[in-house]
Amino acid sequence: MGRRRKGQAVSGWVNLDKAYDLGSTNAVSRVRWLYDAQKAGHAGTLDPLATGVLPIALGEATKTVPFLMDADKTYRFTIAWGRTTATLDREGEVIAESEVRPSVAEVEAALPQFVGEIDQVPPIYSAIKIDGERAYDLARAGEVVEMESRKVTVHAARIATVQSEPGDANHITLEIECGKGTYVRAIVRDLALALGACGHVSDLRRTRVGQFTEENAVTLEFLENLEYEARHSEALLPVSTALDDIPALAVTDEDAFRLKQGRSIVLVPRQVEAVKARLKPGSRTVSATSGGTMVALCEMRAGRLEPSRVFNL
């Protein structure tokens, strides 16, 4: 007999508002412990110095993590002008200084060049792997790190607030909406360079990941209080939360049984047309449900649904 997995068969999403100075891995461990879940994961790492939305998947929800990893994100961040650091945030060693303080108008005029599909070189202090090693490990070891440019998409960039005393312009807060793989620290680096200034990220908060927003995020302290009152299930969101933009199709109990066995099912023409009308361009992914419960994620091909991930809910 196989070894029984430790923990409870808890499945769902927790929209965590990650605190400052807490690593994403530690955050996942804390949430998993609170729910006594058998397995857990997260959708998109947040640096310890960043706060905000960190969606955490428990149980069967971990099968939907890849879909949320590709979701658009929104960040609000503050630039401190005057100093550039090695890590491009406030914790790094100062490597350059400047007296230049870009005006709000100058920043506003420069932002359009950072919107759309742009070429971006990731920071050397990042988790990207180079020959099997994390870039930040190589950088900390004093090695020369060469990062390759990559295409990223920024949907919007705007000024949020100017945080300074009258007559002072040391800080400015921006907000961006972006796609997968975009580094805020790299945007700050390149924006400062374009303005002939020095700057680094002094504050960073992620306010949205897909449909997970800061308005309905919960803190660890809140979860701990719910757990103390045996009410922590109130903060657990359905597994399907990460699949908001994937069309759902109700299937019969017989077809649900076939899908759970890894076998494909045949759709009638009206089902095919109904699903096609709701699919995103270039996507074939459909969520099959039975009795309101998700059964499987499937690929629709030639009028059939072929299961790619089966759920035990």
Side-chain angles (χ1 to χ4, degrees):
M1 294 180 63
R3 181 179 297 178
R4 184 176 179 180
R5 189 186 296 268
K6 292 182 179 180
Q8 304 298 314
V10 179
S11 293
W13 282 93
V14 174
N15 184 13
L16 183 71
D17 189 338
K18 191 190 79 65
Y20 174 82
D21 211 22
L22 175 66
S24 296
T25 300
N26 288 337
V28 171
S29 297
R30 293 274 295 276
V31 171
R32 180 181 180 182
W33 180 83
L34 284 171
Y35 282 87
D36 190 26
Q38 292 178 349
K39 54 184 177 180
H42 65 76
T45 300
L46 266 183
D47 292 339
L49 302 183
T51 65
V53 175
L54 179 66
I56 295 179
L58 301 177
E60 292 293 278
T62 56
K63 296 178 181 178
T64 66
V65 165
F67 295 91
L68 201 57
M69 292 289 286
D70 292 335
D72 288 340
K73 302 169 180 66
T74 302
Y75 294 93
R76 186 170 62 247
F77 56 97
T78 298
I79 303 173
W81 299 117
R83 295 179 177 179
T84 297
T85 67
T87 57
L88 302 176
D89 59 30
R90 65 187 183 190
E91 294 295 304
E93 177 187 357
V94 176
I95 57 175
E97 296 187 65
S98 170
E99 295 298 324
V100 176
R101 300 294 186 271
S103 67
V104 173
E106 288 173 328
V107 173
E108 201 164 33
L111 284 180
Q113 64 186 288
F114 298 97
V115 177
E117 186 180 64
I118 62 174
D119 292 306
Q120 185 181 78
V121 178
I124 60 173
Y125 284 88
S126 64
I128 294 174
K129 286 190 174 182
I130 300 175
D131 296 329
E133 299 287 340
R134 298 289 186 187
Y136 55 65
D137 287 331
L138 296 174
R140 287 167 184 161
E143 296 189 28
V144 176
V145 181
E146 296 289 341
M147 305 296 291
E148 293 185 2
S149 176
R150 56 177 63 185
K151 297 286 187 182
V152 299
T153 301
V154 177
H155 303 295
R158 52 187 168 266
I159 295 175
T161 59
V162 180
Q163 298 181 351
S164 60
E165 298 297 326
D168 180 22
N170 286 327
H171 301 80
I172 188 169
T173 298
L174 307 181
E175 189 171 67
I176 66 166
E177 298 172 21
C178 59
K180 179 181 179 182
T182 305
Y183 280 90
V184 169
R185 287 177 293 140
I187 287 180
V188 171
R189 175 199 63 204
D190 297 341
L191 176 62
L193 183 63
L195 294 169
C198 289
H200 64 271
V201 177
S202 63
D203 185 72
L204 173 62
R205 180 169 177 80
R206 187 161 64 192
T207 59
R208 181 178 70 90
V209 177
Q211 62 275 22
F212 292 82
T213 66
E214 65 176 341
E215 286 77 17
N216 55 19
V218 296
T219 64
L220 271 176
E221 291 74 18
F222 180 82
L223 289 176
E224 288 166 353
N225 288 334
L226 288 183
E227 197 273 338
Y228 178 75
E229 299 173 7
R231 296 169 49 216
H232 56 294
S233 61
E234 295 177 16
L236 196 63
L237 303 173
V239 172
S240 59
T241 305
L243 308 173
D244 191 52
D245 57 351
I246 293 177
L249 178 68
V251 299
T252 65
D253 291 343
E254 181 180 352
D255 281 343
F257 180 75
R258 290 179 62 88
L259 290 173
K260 284 191 173 185
Q261 289 186 317
R263 296 185 289 167
S264 64
I265 62 172
V266 178
L267 303 180
V268 298
R270 60 179 176 80
Q271 288 177 310
V272 173
E273 294 306 314
V275 170
K276 279 185 176 180
R278 292 182 290 150
L279 283 173
K280 292 194 303 181
S283 174
R284 298 173 178 268
T285 305
V286 179
S287 172
T289 66
S290 178
T293 300
M294 192 159 58
V295 174
L297 282 172
C298 309
E299 296 293 305
M300 189 170 76
R301 302 180 188 277
R304 306 177 71 89
L305 284 188
E306 301 175 358
S308 56
R309 288 180 177 85
V310 175
F311 296 89
N312 299 303
L313 299 171

